[in-house]
């Protein structure tokens, strides 16, 4: 009885299928690496771009007093990006939460070294004198890059209603005991260096930083592009 014919050299039929799978996986791996590299290059180029925020309004000049007694105006904020909101120190409702959120925002933007400011304007100037605001600032942990402004009530109402398009009203006498003297919006506005409103955020949601800081980054990149032109 003769021996069976010798098996020709090369992979056996069963192994050919395995070899094909291995080569397919290697090819897919190389393709994935190439795609990953292309994605990284695309992201690197996109890091220099920014999202153009809409222009939602234009502020007109205003004149108010800071807690140190010094006058401040819109002209003093020219070239600066700033966040703005409205409050009053005797507020029994949302103001403590709102100001606490804005304090956290002011601490987050402090790393910009003066490029970004936070501003809160009192809607009860009869109570909120500069001296009263100094006490309030100390109690709430308000820093140097956070202005607390006060001024004549008609001027404050004009800035809120005509400038920021935000609601502010005197509470009816029956509501004062529970809600305080004033009713006002708790929105926080983002303003660019030209006094244009570029965004609004809910100051009571607990995620002000998460929503406002990405827009601030886009606005800072926009301002940087404008300065290079």
């Amino acid at each position: 009885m003769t021996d069976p014919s010798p098996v020709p050299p090369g992979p056996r039929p069963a192994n050919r299928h395995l070899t094909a799978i291995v080569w397919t996986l290697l090819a897919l791996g190389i393709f994935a690496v190439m795609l990953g590299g292309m994605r990284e290059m695309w992201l690197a180029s996109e890091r220099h771009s920014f999202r153009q925020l809409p222009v939602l309004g234009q502020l007109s000049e205003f004149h108010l007093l800071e807690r140190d007694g010094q006058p401040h105006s819109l002209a003093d904020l020219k070239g600066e990006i700033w966040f703005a909101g409205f409050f009053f120190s005797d507020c029994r409702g949302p103001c403590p939460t709102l100001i606490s959120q804005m304090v956290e925002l002011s601490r987050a933007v402090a790393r910009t070294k003066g490029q970004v400011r936070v501003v809160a304007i009192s809607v009860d100037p009869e109570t909120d004198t500069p001296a009263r605001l100094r006490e309030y600032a100390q109690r709430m942990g308000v820093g140097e890059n956070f202005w607390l402004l006060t001024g004549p009530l008609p001027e404050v109402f004009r800035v809120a209603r005509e400038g920021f398009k935000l609601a502010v009203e005197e509470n009816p006498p029956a509501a004062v005991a529970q809600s305080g003297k004033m009713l006002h919006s708790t929105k926080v506005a983002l303003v660019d260096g030209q006094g244009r409103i570029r965004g609004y955020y809910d100051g009571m949601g607990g995620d002000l930083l998460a929503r406002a800081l990405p827009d601030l980054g886009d606005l800072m990149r926009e301002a940087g592009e404008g300065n290079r032109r």
Side-chain angles (χ1 to χ4, degrees):
M1 185 173 181
T2 60
D3 292 333
S5 300
V7 178
R12 297 183 179 183
N15 289 337
R16 288 196 189 101
H17 182 61
L18 178 61
T19 301
I21 292 175
V22 170
W23 279 108
T24 300
L25 290 175
L26 285 174
L28 289 174
I30 293 170
F31 183 64
V33 170
M34 291 175 60
L35 282 179
M38 293 171 62
R39 178 177 180 274
E40 285 302 313
M41 287 189 292
W42 178 79
L43 288 176
S45 66
E46 285 298 303
R47 288 187 191 107
H48 301 289
S49 66
F50 56 88
R51 182 171 59 93
Q52 189 83 30
L53 300 178
V55 176
L56 305 174
Q58 174 69 59
L59 298 177
S60 59
E61 187 59 274
F62 59 78
H63 298 275
L64 298 167
L65 291 178
E66 219 275 319
R67 62 184 184 271
D68 61 4
Q70 295 299 311
H72 287 298
S73 66
L74 181 62
D76 295 323
L77 292 161
K78 185 176 181 180
E80 290 189 25
I81 298 172
W82 48 293
F83 291 95
F86 293 85
F87 81 109
F88 62 107
S89 65
D90 275 349
C91 176
R92 301 178 182 89
C95 294
T97 300
L98 173 63
I99 294 299
S100 294
Q101 289 282 304
M102 295 181 74
V103 166
E104 290 302 315
L105 183 59
S106 72
R107 291 172 180 167
V109 303
R111 68 191 65 179
T112 65
K113 299 180 180 180
Q115 296 181 64
V116 183
R117 190 178 302 276
V118 176
V119 176
I121 302 172
S122 171
V123 295
D124 181 15
E126 181 181 6
T127 301
D128 290 337
T129 62
R132 177 65 173 263
L133 291 180
R134 286 195 296 272
E135 297 172 2
Y136 185 78
Q138 186 173 10
R139 173 158 40 99
M140 298 298 293
V142 173
E144 293 297 321
N145 67 331
F146 190 155
W147 286 354
L148 297 178
L149 300 180
T150 188
L153 189 60
E155 175 74 343
V156 170
F157 274 25
R158 182 189 68 81
V159 172
R161 293 169 174 171
E162 299 178 15
F164 286 96
K165 305 294 190 283
L166 295 177
V168 59
E169 298 285 348
E170 293 189 64
N171 260 327
V176 170
Q178 181 177 0
S179 304
K181 293 169 62 175
M182 311 302 293
L183 179 67
H184 62 90
S185 172
T186 56
K187 294 287 186 182
V188 174
L190 173 62
V191 186
D192 66 19
Q194 301 177 56
R196 301 179 301 177
I197 300 165
R198 307 299 295 274
Y200 288 103
Y201 313 93
D202 179 9
M204 301 297 295
D207 59 347
L208 176 60
L209 269 67
R211 290 177 290 110
L213 292 181
D215 285 355
L216 172 62
D218 287 328
L219 195 54
M220 291 182 71
R221 284 190 285 274
E222 177 187 315
E225 286 291 322
N227 291 336
R228 284 193 288 270
R229 289 172 185 166

Coordinates of all heavy atoms in Angstrom, one line a residue, residues 24-85:
T24 N -7.7 41.1 7.0 CA -8.8 42.1 7.0 C -8.7 42.9 8.2 O -8.9 44.1 8.2 CB -10.1 41.3 6.9 OG1 -10.1 40.6 5.7 CG2 -11.3 42.3 6.9
L25 N -8.5 42.3 9.4 CA -8.4 43.0 10.6 C -7.3 44.0 10.6 O -7.4 45.1 11.1 CB -8.3 42.0 11.8 CG -9.5 41.2 12.1 CD1 -9.2 40.2 13.2 CD2 -10.7 42.1 12.5
L26 N -6.1 43.6 10.1 CA -5.0 44.5 10.0 C -5.3 45.7 9.1 O -5.0 46.8 9.5 CB -3.8 43.8 9.5 CG -3.0 42.8 10.4 CD1 -2.0 42.0 9.7 CD2 -2.4 43.6 11.6
A27 N -6.0 45.5 8.0 CA -6.3 46.5 7.1 C -7.3 47.5 7.8 O -7.2 48.7 7.7 CB -6.9 46.0 5.8
L28 N -8.3 46.9 8.5 CA -9.2 47.8 9.2 C -8.5 48.6 10.3 O -8.8 49.8 10.6 CB -10.3 46.9 9.8 CG -11.3 46.3 8.9 CD1 -12.3 45.4 9.6 CD2 -12.1 47.4 8.2
G29 N -7.5 48.0 11.0 CA -6.8 48.7 12.0 C -6.0 49.9 11.4 O -6.0 51.0 12.0
I30 N -5.4 49.6 10.3 CA -4.6 50.7 9.6 C -5.5 51.8 9.2 O -5.3 53.0 9.4 CB -3.8 50.1 8.4 CG1 -2.7 49.2 8.9 CG2 -3.2 51.3 7.6 CD1 -2.0 48.4 7.8
F31 N -6.7 51.4 8.7 CA -7.7 52.4 8.2 C -8.2 53.3 9.4 O -8.3 54.5 9.3 CB -8.9 51.7 7.6 CG -9.9 52.7 7.0 CD1 -9.6 53.5 6.0 CD2 -11.2 52.7 7.5 CE1 -10.5 54.4 5.5 CE2 -12.1 53.5 7.0 CZ -11.8 54.4 6.0
A32 N -8.4 52.6 10.6 CA -8.8 53.3 11.8 C -7.8 54.3 12.3 O -8.1 55.4 12.7 CB -9.2 52.3 12.9
V33 N -6.5 53.9 12.2 CA -5.4 54.8 12.6 C -5.4 56.0 11.7 O -5.2 57.1 12.1 CB -4.1 54.0 12.6 CG1 -2.9 55.0 12.8 CG2 -4.1 53.0 13.7
M34 N -5.5 55.7 10.4 CA -5.5 56.8 9.4 C -6.7 57.8 9.7 O -6.5 59.0 9.7 CB -5.6 56.3 8.0 CG -4.4 55.6 7.5 SD -4.6 54.8 5.9 CE -4.9 56.3 4.9
L35 N -7.9 57.2 10.0 CA -9.0 58.1 10.3 C -8.8 58.9 11.6 O -9.1 60.1 11.7 CB -10.3 57.2 10.4 CG -10.9 56.8 9.1 CD1 -12.2 55.9 9.5 CD2 -11.3 58.0 8.3
G36 N -8.2 58.2 12.6 CA -7.9 58.9 13.8 C -6.9 60.1 13.6 O -7.1 61.1 14.2
G37 N -5.9 59.9 12.8 CA -5.0 60.9 12.5 C -5.6 62.1 11.8 O -5.4 63.3 12.1
M38 N -6.5 61.8 10.8 CA -7.2 62.8 10.1 C -8.1 63.6 11.0 O -8.2 64.8 10.9 CB -8.0 62.2 8.9 CG -7.2 61.6 7.8 SD -8.1 60.7 6.6 CE -9.2 62.0 6.0
R39 N -8.8 62.9 12.0 CA -9.6 63.5 12.9 C -8.8 64.5 13.8 O -9.3 65.6 14.1 CB -10.4 62.5 13.8 CG -11.3 63.1 14.8 CD -12.0 62.0 15.6 NE -12.9 62.6 16.6 CZ -12.5 62.8 17.8 NH1 -11.2 62.6 18.2 NH2 -13.3 63.3 18.7
E40 N -7.7 64.1 14.3 CA -6.8 64.9 15.1 C -6.4 66.2 14.4 O -6.4 67.3 14.9 CB -5.6 64.1 15.6 CG -5.9 63.2 16.7 CD -6.6 63.8 17.9 OE1 -6.0 64.9 18.4 OE2 -7.6 63.3 18.4
M41 N -6.0 66.0 13.1 CA -5.6 67.2 12.3 C -6.8 68.1 12.1 O -6.6 69.3 12.2 CB -5.1 66.7 10.9 CG -3.7 66.1 11.0 SD -3.0 65.8 9.3 CE -4.1 64.5 8.7
W42 N -8.0 67.6 11.9 CA -9.2 68.4 11.7 C -9.5 69.1 13.0 O -9.8 70.3 13.0 CB -10.4 67.5 11.4 CG -11.6 68.3 11.2 CD1 -12.0 69.1 10.2 CD2 -12.7 68.4 12.2 NE1 -13.3 69.6 10.4 CE2 -13.7 69.2 11.6 CE3 -12.9 67.8 13.4 CZ2 -14.9 69.5 12.3 CZ3 -14.1 68.1 14.1 CH2 -15.0 69.0 13.5
L43 N -9.4 68.4 14.2 CA -9.6 69.1 15.5 C -8.6 70.2 15.7 O -8.9 71.2 16.3 CB -9.6 68.1 16.6 CG -10.8 67.1 16.7 CD1 -10.6 66.1 17.8 CD2 -12.1 67.9 16.9
A44 N -7.4 69.9 15.4 CA -6.3 70.9 15.6 C -6.6 72.2 14.8 O -6.4 73.3 15.3 CB -5.0 70.4 15.2
S45 N -7.1 72.0 13.6 CA -7.4 73.2 12.8 C -8.7 73.9 13.4 O -8.8 75.2 13.4 CB -7.7 72.8 11.3 OG -8.8 72.0 11.2
E46 N -9.6 73.1 13.9 CA -10.8 73.7 14.4 C -10.6 74.5 15.7 O -11.4 75.3 16.1 CB -11.9 72.6 14.6 CG -12.5 72.1 13.3 CD -13.2 73.2 12.6 OE1 -14.1 73.9 13.2 OE2 -12.9 73.5 11.5
R47 N -9.6 74.1 16.5 CA -9.3 74.8 17.7 C -9.1 76.3 17.5 O -9.2 77.1 18.4 CB -8.1 74.2 18.4 CG -8.4 72.8 19.0 CD -7.3 72.2 19.8 NE -7.5 70.9 20.1 CZ -6.9 69.8 19.6 NH1 -5.9 70.1 18.7 NH2 -7.2 68.6 19.9
H48 N -8.7 76.7 16.3 CA -8.4 78.1 16.0 C -9.7 78.8 15.5 O -9.6 80.0 15.2 CB -7.3 78.2 15.0 CG -6.0 77.6 15.5 ND1 -5.2 78.2 16.5 CD2 -5.4 76.5 15.1 CE1 -4.2 77.4 16.7 NE2 -4.2 76.4 15.9
S49 N -10.8 78.1 15.4 CA -12.0 78.7 14.9 C -12.9 79.0 16.1 O -12.6 78.6 17.2 CB -12.7 77.8 13.9 OG -13.1 76.6 14.5
F50 N -14.1 79.6 15.8 CA -15.0 79.9 16.9 C -16.4 80.0 16.3 O -16.6 80.2 15.1 CB -14.7 81.2 17.6 CG -14.6 82.4 16.7 CD1 -15.7 83.2 16.3 CD2 -13.3 82.7 16.1 CE1 -15.6 84.2 15.5 CE2 -13.2 83.8 15.2 CZ -14.4 84.6 15.0
R51 N -17.4 79.8 17.1 CA -18.8 80.0 16.7 C -19.2 81.4 16.9 O -19.0 82.0 17.9 CB -19.7 79.1 17.6 CG -21.1 79.1 17.3 CD -21.9 78.0 18.0 NE -21.7 78.2 19.5 CZ -22.6 78.9 20.2 NH1 -23.7 79.4 19.7 NH2 -22.4 79.0 21.5
Q52 N -19.8 82.0 15.8 CA -20.2 83.4 15.8 C -21.5 83.5 16.6 O -22.5 83.0 16.2 CB -20.4 83.9 14.4 CG -20.6 85.4 14.3 CD -19.3 86.1 14.3 OE1 -18.3 85.7 13.8 NE2 -19.4 87.4 14.8
L53 N -21.4 84.2 17.8 CA -22.6 84.3 18.6 C -23.5 85.4 18.0 O -23.0 86.4 17.4 CB -22.2 84.8 20.0 CG -21.4 83.8 20.8 CD1 -21.0 84.3 22.2 CD2 -22.0 82.4 20.9
P54 N -24.8 85.3 18.1 CA -25.7 86.3 17.5 C -25.6 87.7 18.3 O -25.2 87.7 19.5 CB -27.1 85.7 17.7 CG -26.9 84.8 18.9 CD -25.6 84.2 18.8
V55 N -25.9 88.7 17.6 CA -26.0 90.1 18.3 C -27.5 90.3 18.7 O -28.3 90.3 17.8 CB -25.5 91.2 17.4 CG1 -25.7 92.5 18.1 CG2 -24.0 91.0 17.1
L56 N -27.8 90.3 20.0 CA -29.1 90.4 20.5 C -29.6 91.7 20.9 O -30.8 91.9 21.2 CB -29.3 89.4 21.6 CG -28.9 87.9 21.4 CD1 -28.9 87.1 22.6 CD2 -29.7 87.3 20.3
G57 N -28.7 92.7 20.9 CA -29.1 94.1 21.3 C -27.8 94.9 21.4 O -26.7 94.4 21.5
Q58 N -28.1 96.2 21.5 CA -27.0 97.2 21.7 C -27.3 98.1 22.9 O -28.4 98.7 22.9 CB -26.8 98.0 20.4 CG -25.8 99.2 20.6 CD -24.4 98.7 20.7 OE1 -23.9 98.0 19.8 NE2 -23.7 99.0 21.8
L59 N -26.4 98.1 23.8 CA -26.6 99.0 25.0 C -26.2 100.4 24.6 O -25.3 100.7 23.8 CB -25.7 98.5 26.1 CG -25.9 97.1 26.7 CD1 -24.9 96.8 27.8 CD2 -27.3 97.0 27.2
S60 N -26.9 101.4 25.3 CA -26.6 102.8 25.2 C -25.9 103.2 26.4 O -25.8 102.5 27.4 CB -27.8 103.6 25.0 OG -28.7 103.5 26.0
E61 N -25.2 104.3 26.4 CA -24.4 104.8 27.5 C -25.2 104.9 28.8 O -26.4 105.2 28.8 CB -23.9 106.2 27.2 CG -22.9 106.7 28.2 CD -21.7 105.8 28.4 OE1 -21.7 104.9 29.2 OE2 -20.6 106.1 27.7
F62 N -24.6 104.6 29.9 CA -25.2 104.7 31.2 C -24.2 105.2 32.2 O -23.0 105.1 32.0 CB -25.8 103.4 31.7 CG -24.8 102.2 31.8 CD1 -23.9 102.1 32.9 CD2 -24.8 101.2 30.9 CE1 -23.0 101.1 33.0 CE2 -23.8 100.2 31.0 CZ -23.0 100.1 32.0
H63 N -24.7 105.7 33.4 CA -23.8 106.3 34.4 C -24.3 105.8 35.7 O -25.4 106.2 36.2 CB -23.7 107.8 34.3 CG -23.2 108.3 33.0 ND1 -21.8 108.5 32.8 CD2 -23.8 108.7 31.9 CE1 -21.6 108.9 31.6 NE2 -22.8 109.1 31.0
L64 N -23.5 105.0 36.4 CA -23.9 104.4 37.7 C -22.7 104.5 38.7 O -21.6 104.9 38.3 CB -24.3 103.0 37.6 CG -25.6 102.8 36.7 CD1 -25.8 101.3 36.3 CD2 -26.8 103.3 37.3
L65 N -22.9 104.2 39.9 CA -21.9 104.2 40.9 C -21.5 102.8 41.4 O -22.4 102.0 41.6 CB -22.3 105.0 42.2 CG -22.5 106.5 42.0 CD1 -22.9 107.1 43.3 CD2 -21.2 107.2 41.6
E66 N -20.2 102.6 41.6 CA -19.8 101.3 42.1 C -19.7 101.4 43.6 O -19.9 102.4 44.2 CB -18.4 100.9 41.6 CG -18.2 99.5 41.2 CD -17.8 98.7 42.4 OE1 -16.9 99.1 43.2 OE2 -18.3 97.5 42.6
R67 N -19.5 100.2 44.3 CA -19.6 100.2 45.8 C -18.5 101.0 46.4 O -18.6 101.4 47.6 CB -19.5 98.7 46.3 CG -18.2 98.0 45.9 CD -18.3 96.6 46.4 NE -17.1 95.8 46.2 CZ -16.9 95.1 45.1 NH1 -17.7 95.1 44.1 NH2 -15.7 94.4 45.0
D68 N -17.4 101.3 45.6 CA -16.4 102.2 46.2 C -16.7 103.7 46.0 O -15.9 104.5 46.3 CB -15.0 101.9 45.5 CG -15.0 102.1 44.0 OD1 -16.1 102.5 43.5 OD2 -14.0 101.7 43.3
G69 N -17.9 104.0 45.5 CA -18.3 105.3 45.3 C -17.9 105.9 44.0 O -18.2 107.1 43.7
Q70 N -17.1 105.2 43.2 CA -16.6 105.7 41.9 C -17.6 105.6 40.8 O -18.3 104.5 40.7 CB -15.3 105.0 41.5 CG -14.1 105.3 42.5 CD -13.8 106.7 42.6 OE1 -13.6 107.4 41.5 NE2 -13.7 107.3 43.8
P71 N -17.8 106.6 39.9 CA -18.7 106.5 38.8 C -18.2 105.5 37.7 O -17.0 105.5 37.5 CB -18.8 107.9 38.3 CG -17.5 108.5 38.7 CD -17.1 107.9 40.0
H72 N -19.1 104.8 37.1 CA -18.7 103.9 36.0 C -19.8 104.0 34.9 O -21.0 104.3 35.2 CB -18.6 102.5 36.5 CG -17.4 102.2 37.3 ND1 -16.1 102.3 36.8 CD2 -17.3 101.7 38.6 CE1 -15.3 102.0 37.8 NE2 -16.0 101.6 38.9
S73 N -19.3 103.8 33.7 CA -20.2 104.0 32.6 C -19.9 102.9 31.6 O -19.0 102.1 31.7 CB -20.0 105.3 31.9 OG -18.7 105.4 31.3
L74 N -20.8 102.8 30.5 CA -20.5 101.9 29.5 C -19.2 102.1 28.8 O -18.5 101.2 28.4 CB -21.7 102.0 28.4 CG -21.6 101.0 27.3 CD1 -21.7 99.5 27.7 CD2 -22.7 101.3 26.2
A75 N -18.8 103.4 28.7 CA -17.5 103.7 28.1 C -16.3 103.1 28.9 O -15.3 102.7 28.3 CB -17.3 105.2 28.0
D76 N -16.5 102.9 30.2 CA -15.4 102.3 31.0 C -15.3 100.8 30.7 O -14.2 100.2 31.0 CB -15.7 102.5 32.5 CG -15.7 103.9 32.9 OD1 -14.8 104.7 32.4 OD2 -16.5 104.3 33.8
L77 N -16.3 100.2 30.1 CA -16.2 98.8 29.8 C -15.9 98.5 28.3 O -15.9 97.4 27.9 CB -17.6 98.2 30.1 CG -17.9 98.1 31.6 CD1 -19.4 97.9 31.8 CD2 -17.1 97.0 32.3
K78 N -15.6 99.6 27.6 CA -15.3 99.4 26.2 C -14.0 98.5 26.0 O -13.0 98.7 26.7 CB -15.0 100.8 25.5 CG -14.7 100.7 24.0 CD -14.6 102.1 23.4 CE -14.4 101.9 21.9 NZ -14.2 103.3 21.2
G79 N -14.1 97.5 25.1 CA -13.1 96.6 24.9 C -13.0 95.4 25.9 O -12.3 94.5 25.7
E80 N -13.9 95.5 26.9 CA -14.0 94.3 27.8 C -15.2 93.5 27.5 O -16.2 94.0 27.1 CB -14.1 94.8 29.3 CG -12.8 95.5 29.8 CD -12.9 95.7 31.3 OE1 -13.7 95.1 32.0 OE2 -12.2 96.7 31.8
I81 N -15.1 92.2 27.8 CA -16.2 91.3 27.8 C -16.8 91.2 29.2 O -16.0 91.1 30.1 CB -15.8 89.9 27.2 CG1 -15.3 90.0 25.8 CG2 -17.0 89.0 27.3 CD1 -14.7 88.7 25.3
W82 N -18.1 91.3 29.3 CA -18.6 91.2 30.7 C -20.0 90.5 30.8 O -20.7 90.5 29.8 CB -18.7 92.6 31.3 CG -19.3 93.7 30.5 CD1 -18.8 94.3 29.3 CD2 -20.5 94.5 30.7 NE1 -19.7 95.3 28.8 CE2 -20.7 95.4 29.7 CE3 -21.5 94.4 31.8 CZ2 -21.8 96.3 29.7 CZ3 -22.6 95.3 31.7 CH2 -22.7 96.2 30.7
F83 N -20.3 90.0 31.9 CA -21.6 89.4 32.3 C -22.3 90.4 33.2 O -21.7 91.1 34.0 CB -21.4 88.1 33.0 CG -20.8 87.0 32.1 CD1 -19.5 86.7 32.1 CD2 -21.7 86.2 31.3 CE1 -19.0 85.7 31.3 CE2 -21.2 85.2 30.6 CZ -19.8 84.9 30.5
A84 N -23.6 90.5 33.0 CA -24.4 91.5 33.7 C -25.7 90.8 34.2 O -26.3 90.0 33.5 CB -24.7 92.7 32.9
G85 N -26.1 91.2 35.4 CA -27.4 90.8 36.0 C -28.0 91.9 36.9 O -27.3 92.9 37.2

